[in-house]
Amino acid sequence: MPAHSSNPGGASRVRRRALLGTAVLVVLVALAGLLAFLTRDARAPSTPAPHSSSATPHPSGAAPSASPPPQENHRALPRPPKTHDPIVYGKAAAAALWSYDTRAYSQRALLSALRGWMTGEKKYVDTASVAKLVPSPVLWKQMADNGQRAKGVVNEGHFPDSFTRALQDDPGAITQTYLYAVTVSGKQSIAWKGSPAGGAESRVTTLAVQCRPSSPCTLAGVLPAVAP
């Protein structure tokens, strides 16, 4: 468990455009990366960069997925924890985003499961930032032919220093959105047919986690840059 407190005292202001630019809500956050994330239109198109097939494949978009495995094991899909601690939730979400098993379920089933981790508030949710971390349907099929799977293991999670300082500057502004920046580090181990051990690569990401007092935490999205 992280040493940082999950009950910060405040936040600094950040501007964001409401959906379709019809309203503006001012939130205090000093972190530049979080600012870019929160100010983006929830429906604005994104143009993510391509990724390698062995780690973080290129975006899946909305294209039809390949046919699911004959016996799909939905129990193997990631399930969100019920917690009000943004760091606990961020660590679980990072592990889920770094993990997949082409032998157990389809690409479409994984995308659907990850949507279940996300907030239902359209003003804050960025599903594209999560979907782009899932292999595309074509790549998924190629990976499935090789029985490729990956497992994410989390080592540590914390509030970025700049975010913590921003929270201390204004104790109360975060109550407008209840969005927290959480940086998580760990490893992703990849295996495939003929190589059960596979290889492991270090991973670090910063997530936007929403934790309102009245409901368990949810994922808002993945920030475009890591905040230390």
Side-chain angles (χ1 to χ4, degrees):
M1 294 294 294
H4 297 262
S5 170
S6 60
N7 184 25
S12 70
R13 263 184 316 233
V14 73
R15 291 183 187 176
R16 65 154 184 84
R17 294 191 303 272
L19 192 63
L20 300 178
T22 58
V24 174
L25 178 64
V26 176
V27 190
L28 297 173
V29 177
L31 182 61
L34 189 60
L35 171 64
F37 173 81
L38 294 179
T39 55
R40 67 192 296 178
D41 190 319
R43 292 184 178 176
S46 60
T47 309
H51 302 269
S52 66
S53 60
S54 62
T56 308
H58 62 269
S60 58
S65 65
S67 299
Q71 294 182 334
E72 198 160 33
N73 182 8
H74 289 281
R75 289 178 298 179
L77 290 164
R79 299 177 183 275
K82 300 295 184 182
T83 178
H84 291 269
D85 187 323
I87 292 180
V88 171
Y89 196 87
K91 292 169 66 176
L97 292 172
W98 297 339
S99 304
Y100 60 83
D101 191 341
T102 63
R103 306 166 303 170
Y105 43 75
S106 65
Q107 184 257 12
R108 179 175 294 173
L110 178 56
L111 279 175
S112 178
L114 292 176
R115 282 194 293 268
W117 287 67
M118 306 197 72
T119 178
E121 298 186 31
K122 294 182 178 180
K123 293 179 179 180
Y124 306 113
V125 69
D126 184 0
T127 56
S129 66
V130 170
K132 76 177 183 179
L133 301 180
V134 177
S136 69
V138 173
L139 183 55
W140 185 277
K141 184 179 185 304
Q142 296 172 351
M143 293 162 59
D145 291 340
N146 292 322
Q148 188 165 320
R149 61 271 189 195
K151 180 175 178 59
V153 176
V154 169
N155 295 331
E156 187 270 346
H158 66 274
F159 295 128
D161 290 340
S162 53
F163 182 74
T164 301
R165 290 194 300 268
L167 294 177
Q168 295 171 348
D169 288 342
D170 191 342
I174 200 169
T175 58
Q176 299 179 65
T177 64
Y178 287 99
L179 285 172
Y180 299 85
V182 179
T183 295
V184 182
S185 61
K187 290 185 178 296
Q188 183 190 51
S189 299
I190 303 173
W192 54 89
K193 290 179 182 178
S195 181
E201 297 182 3
S202 296
R203 289 283 177 266
V204 60
T205 187
T206 301
L207 311 172
V209 177
Q210 186 177 52
C211 295
R212 292 194 180 278
S214 58
S215 59
C217 295
T218 55
L219 181 64
V222 180
L223 273 65
V226 173

